[in-house]
Structure formats: C-alpha cells, structure tokens
Amino acid sequence: MRTEVNPIMNNLIEKMDIRLTYQRKIILNTLIDNVGKHLSANEIYTLIKDKENIIGMATIYRTIDMLLKKGVVIKHDFGDSAAKYEIEIENTRNHHHLICKKCGKVIEASGLIKDDFYERLLEEKGFQCTEYKLKIFGYCKNCRVNAKAN
C-alpha cells in the first residue's frame, strides 16, 4: 500500500488543514486511486484490507465523515441502500450520474447542463445556487440490448 504524499493529496491536505495520519493517507490514496468510482465504506475497506490489515471499519467511517465535513469527499445515494463516496478533485463537484434501474450501473456524465446554469438561476429565480446533484434513472445500453433480445 503506498503511503507517499502525491500532488493530488498535497492539494487536499492544504484544503483540509488536518493532521495526516498513516491511516488517513491510506484511505485518501485508496480514494485517489479510484477517482471516478463510487465506493461504499465496505468497498473502501476491502480495497485496503487486501493490502493492509491495520485499518478497521470504524477508522474508515470516522475518516470519511471528517472528509465529508471538509468537502473533500462527496456522498451519493443511488438508491441501492449503501451510501457511495467519491473524492472531489477539481471540476468533479457538479457532474451528473446516470443510474441503471436494472443492473445498478452508475455512469458519470458532464456537460448536461449549460455552464451559465448558476447565473440563470440567480437572474431568473433570484436563487443563489452553491451546488447541485443530478441523478437520472433509466436503463443502460447493455440492459436495453438484453431486454430487446429476450
């Protein structure tokens, strides 16, 4: 398990203003290594346990909670009963998720909403948006193809 501090982690450390313990480095590296994936706490634990056997679930939950409060991790609910976590690296906050109702696959999509969305909300509705989450439910390409074949 790598525990070095890479450039992405350096930026996160500056943003968080926390003491970076050995366990936090491992958890952050696991999240960084899985950018673009949406991991449950159990999946994070499994990825770490395969290489290190020194981090328990309680440490993972505490660290995730702290990272959520610091704005470094985003929590998602895709309707499958387990919260999923994703590290926020520049330009990932307002991306969108396409969720297959049959297989549960989550596809990331960007650019679905025009760049002037925030300004239009403020101008047209008087509402200042600080962030948004868009989840679109439907059927992925594989499930649609398989459904037609049956």
Side-chain angles (χ1 to χ4, degrees):
M1 177 65 61
R2 67 187 176 94
T3 58
E4 73 274 4
V5 179
N6 65 34
I8 295 171
M9 193 179 296
N10 270 335
N11 291 337
L12 294 173
I13 293 167
E14 288 176 20
K15 181 179 181 178
M16 291 185 295
D17 189 33
I18 62 163
R19 188 171 64 91
L20 194 60
T21 64
Y22 180 76
Q23 290 86 354
R24 289 175 181 171
K25 280 184 197 174
I26 291 171
I27 293 167
L28 277 169
N29 273 324
T30 301
L31 291 167
I32 290 168
D33 289 346
N34 289 281
V35 167
K37 294 181 182 175
H38 309 93
L39 302 172
S40 69
N42 283 333
E43 290 167 328
I44 294 168
Y45 176 75
T46 300
L47 289 168
I48 291 170
K49 188 174 183 203
D50 287 346
K51 299 172 186 168
E52 294 275 341
N53 201 14
I54 62 163
I55 298 177
M57 282 301 295
T59 301
I60 291 173
Y61 278 115
R62 278 193 309 272
T63 302
I64 288 172
D65 187 51
M66 182 263 312
L67 295 173
L68 282 166
K69 289 176 183 171
K70 294 289 185 177
V72 173
V73 169
I74 302 168
K75 182 179 182 178
H76 298 289
D77 176 5
F78 296 128
D80 60 355
S81 75
K84 304 286 182 168
Y85 303 95
E86 173 180 31
I87 193 157
E88 183 193 341
I89 297 175
E90 292 180 27
N91 301 323
T92 61
R93 178 167 287 285
N94 293 320
H95 61 278
H96 314 105
H97 298 98
L98 311 175
I99 304 155
C100 182
K101 291 169 63 175
K102 184 169 183 173
C103 70
K105 180 178 182 179
V106 177
I107 303 165
E108 291 201 6
S110 295
L112 297 178
I113 296 179
K114 294 182 180 180
D115 291 338
D116 66 347
F117 177 67
Y118 288 103
E119 292 81 19
R120 285 185 44 228
L121 272 178
L122 187 59
E123 184 179 307
E124 294 175 17
K125 304 294 182 189
F127 185 83
Q128 184 175 10
C129 180
T130 58
E131 67 181 278
Y132 66 91
K133 295 177 178 150
L134 179 61
K135 296 185 283 188
I136 301 172
F137 293 87
Y139 299 96
C140 70
K141 184 177 183 177
N142 287 341
C143 290
R144 283 191 356 262
V145 168
N146 291 337
K148 288 179 184 177
N150 292 332

